[in-house]
Amino acid sequence: MRALRVLLIVVVILGVLFVVVDRVAVHFAEGEAADKLKTTEGLANTPDVSINGFPFLTQVVGGELDDVEVGIKDYDAATGNGTGTIRIDDLEAHMKSVDFSGDYSSATAATATGTATIAYDELLKAAKSEPTQVGPDVTAQVVGLSDGGNGKIKVQVDATVLGVKLARPVSVLSSVTVKGDTVQVRADSLPDLGVDLAENAVRSITDFQQVIEELPGGVQLDKVQAASDGVKISVRGSNVRLAG
């Protein structure tokens, strides 16, 4: 009985030591992966990297991590044709089946899904920022975006008619969709500016789009929906390169 008791104590101690070593190892690996990702993507701040699954050491031996979560607070995505960038907030991605090198200098996920937010003030930059003529003696411009409820964006349009600026912006509900690498905003109906205007002329103001390129690891836009704090985007990809 005494020998069995000693054996059980030894097993428990070894088990605890294994858990401690495993957690230390995963913490080190997360730090290394975060540093590599920061360098690869040219990030201003170090991202959050969490390697899920237990035990970690058996995943290392197999050369593949089951599930990795990546969080990037702010990311400047390209807007196409070298025209600038747009800030993406709170990008969170789930990476599955991540192959990696021993020094974590390269890592590629079989699949990835994630979410992020484009604040309304960022998306507003895609709309025409200066008053534009939409008819005889009529100019207009988009001056604000906000949550319109039910997945719609409320677009606010300032207009000047016959030299007189309207007392307040005219609002119109718009749908937001994704087509390829482009977020598109299109008015469900035209705003009433008090005069008859050609639809194409008005839509040249109310409708606009924003190209979003070079997201981390090569993930692509998947879905988009208006929300209280901005436009929520979903991303997905395959063979997503995290580093290297």
Side-chain angles (χ1 to χ4, degrees):
M1 288 295 293
R2 187 171 184 277
L4 179 59
R5 187 181 301 112
V6 171
L7 178 61
L8 289 174
I9 293 173
V10 170
V11 169
V12 170
I13 292 174
L14 290 176
V16 170
L17 288 175
F18 175 78
V19 171
V20 171
V21 171
D22 190 82
R23 293 301 88 190
V24 170
V26 75
H27 181 72
F28 172 79
E30 289 170 344
E32 288 292 302
D35 290 340
K36 295 292 184 182
L37 182 57
K38 178 183 178 181
T39 300
T40 300
E41 297 295 340
L43 303 176
N45 300 306
T46 303
D48 294 325
V49 175
S50 298
I51 300 174
N52 300 320
F54 179 83
F56 167 69
L57 293 175
T58 59
Q59 297 180 63
V60 172
V61 172
E64 181 179 281
L65 304 177
D66 298 333
D67 181 18
V68 177
E69 294 181 58
V70 175
I72 301 175
K73 189 65 177 177
D74 299 306
Y75 183 82
D76 291 328
T79 53
N81 300 321
T83 57
T85 61
I86 184 170
R87 190 184 72 247
I88 308 295
D89 297 327
D90 300 324
L91 176 60
E92 298 181 356
H94 257 93
M95 314 289 182
K96 299 291 187 180
S97 302
V98 181
D99 289 325
F100 63 96
S101 62
D103 61 355
Y104 307 103
S105 61
S106 65
T108 303
T111 61
T113 58
T115 59
T117 301
I118 303 174
Y120 285 119
D121 61 345
E122 280 293 304
L123 187 60
L124 181 61
K125 296 175 183 178
K128 291 184 178 178
S129 58
E130 298 294 333
T132 301
Q133 188 165 354
V134 294
D137 297 316
V138 180
T139 61
Q141 69 181 117
V142 175
V143 294
L145 303 176
S146 59
D147 181 20
N150 297 318
K152 303 290 185 179
I153 293 178
K154 183 167 72 172
V155 179
Q156 292 182 301
V157 179
D158 255 354
T160 299
V161 181
L162 298 175
V164 179
K165 184 176 180 179
L166 298 185
R168 60 178 58 87
V170 177
S171 297
V172 60
L173 291 179
S174 298
S175 298
V176 57
T177 57
V178 165
K179 184 176 182 180
D181 60 2
T182 304
V183 174
Q184 299 179 325
V185 178
R186 179 178 172 81
D188 294 350
S189 59
L190 299 183
D192 183 6
L193 301 180
V195 292
D196 291 331
L197 299 169
E199 179 175 343
N200 289 343
V202 178
R203 286 196 177 279
S204 70
I205 301 298
T206 60
D207 299 357
F208 57 94
Q209 60 185 25
Q210 176 65 71
V211 175
I212 300 176
E213 297 179 332
E214 300 177 16
L215 289 170
V219 294
Q220 303 292 320
L221 296 178
D222 183 38
K223 298 177 183 177
V224 63
Q225 185 174 15
S228 60
D229 56 347
V231 173
K232 299 292 186 182
I233 61 174
S234 299
V235 298
R236 66 173 55 249
S238 56
N239 296 320
V240 175
R241 186 172 294 275
L242 303 180

